[in-house]
Amino acid sequence: MTTTAEIIIIGGGVNGLACAYDLAKSGMKKIVVLEKGYLGVGATGRCGAGVRQQWGMEENIILARESVRIFEKLPEELGFNVFFRQGGYLVLIFDEHEYDLVTRSIPVQNKLDVPSRLLDPKDVAELVPGINLDGVLGAAYCPTDGVCYPYAVLWGYGEAARRLGVDIRTHTEVTGIDVLDDGTYSVTTANGSYNAPRILNVAGARTKDIAALIGIDIPTKPHRHEIAVTDALKPFLDPVVISLKKGFYFSQSLRGEIVGGIGDDNEPSSYSTKSSIDFLFRYASALRDVFPALGKVRIIRQWAGLYDVSPDARPIMGAVDGFDGYYHACGFSGHGFMLSPITAKLLTELITTGSTSIPIDTLGLTRFDKGPLTKDPYVVG
Amino acid sequence: MGKTILCHCEDVDVEEVYSAHKQGFGDLETLRRYTGVGTGKCQGKCCIVQTLRVLASIESERSGGDSEHAKPSLTGDPGRLHLPTARPPVLPMRVDDIIEARKENE
């Protein structure tokens, strides 16, 4: 049986459901979302939940700032509590190079209305009781950054999309895509086929595999990233504490658990989401290094998810020349959740009007042929 | 009627599972994230099987079957009635002890 639609969205993660909602709200009818597992089974449900506007490149600062503005209004927009807690982000400075980067970037962030500022070690100690200041030269701090519960955002968008008539099919894996003679797309799944003049490919680390089905080459690579969670503690940690140099981040969830991770430069590209003992070892050392008192705390769970890493660690989004009606967003390199509200807004504008309120032409696939590529120095892990 | 607690760590009772299921959070993976069942100190060792049993009863009631003696079926809707992925560590481990174990491992 073939179901026809105006658009088929491939991927039931936060980007897929946010796009489904925004498109439905813009008036599009007959929207189908195809998800191979349960909603959020990929990177959305496995991510670190951070939302930050402190970036080095103007493009990233603007996208993140606009995302935060949407996050702030999401509960009333969706009728769903998304637990957005703006406790700030604290970027620890460990050497002169980082000090230089941060002091150059703060004025750029401020110019773009992101209220970041430089803290000296004494301010850091006041903000985060019990933090180990050995080697800390200071920190950059933005009070309007924070954490948001990814599943709540996903469900909020999903429920609101359903109310607007979006057809969300879970446990429906895409096995093939054909471009028909009339230019429409025929998407095959184990549970029937779907036909539409447009497809939106937002399948996380699998986006490149979906694109390959119609001959589009996306140069992203999947990389495993791991996270661990401790027992719940009394609230003491307002901001997310991160280090660009050491690649860690720690935050406290609303349930009180310390949630965090640490990158591994030697991690090879793979689709593995297995937990490793090596990560647990490195993570425990990093956690106690930053918060000596947490040596007594228990780690109760660890898991892994995939970053979809692009060659310059910047998102890939938009249309693709020669494929009318095809759109995608991927390559978020660990920042897909925090950018999802603005990604959905811009893709919806592009799909429904042909242009976007914030330029995204620098985020197209063709940049990889042109070079040289610019990487944002504020990427962690 | 009194409360029947399913998950002692996160204080989730049977009514909450019914309510979550009604709102569309019936997939065990989703139910865990929505209610917190099985995500506390014991990581589901004490409650996940019982939760599956409750889900099976709900499914059975919905299809007009015998809810009292319903058993989890592993062949029902994909993704719904199966055990979630077990995550390490098997038991909660102190950060200090993990760091000690690392030293012994090297």
Side-chain angles (χ1 to χ4, degrees), chain A residues 38-39 45-46 80 149 151 155 159 171 230-231 255 257 273 275-278 280-285 287-288 292 294-304, chain B residues 10 23-25 27 29-41 43 78-80 87-89 91-103 105:
Chain A
Y38 56 89
L39 298 180
R46 297 163 187 270
F80 205 97
Y149 185 41
Y151 270 103
W155 296 328
E159 285 303 302
H171 304 290
T230 67
D231 261 348
R255 298 206 298 188
E257 307 147 322
T273 53
S275 295
S276 76
I277 188 95
D278 176 62
L280 191 62
F281 285 158
R282 289 186 301 112
Y283 180 76
S285 297
L287 181 63
R288 197 177 68 178
L294 297 190
K296 306 281 176 282
V297 168
R298 286 177 170 80
I299 288 180
I300 63 168
R301 180 170 72 252
Q302 67 178 106
W303 69 87
Chain B
E10 294 297 316
Q23 293 169 64
F25 301 96
D27 187 310
E29 294 287 358
T30 309
L31 185 79
R32 281 172 68 223
R33 275 94 178 181
Y34 187 68
T35 63
V37 68
T39 64
K41 258 190 170 55
Q43 288 293 295
R80 185 156 290 177
R87 310 276 187 206
L91 295 170
M93 251 185 112
R94 274 175 21 149
V95 170
D96 283 342
D97 295 339
I98 295 170
I99 294 170
E100 270 312 299
R102 180 186 196 178
K103 283 182 195 150
N105 224 38

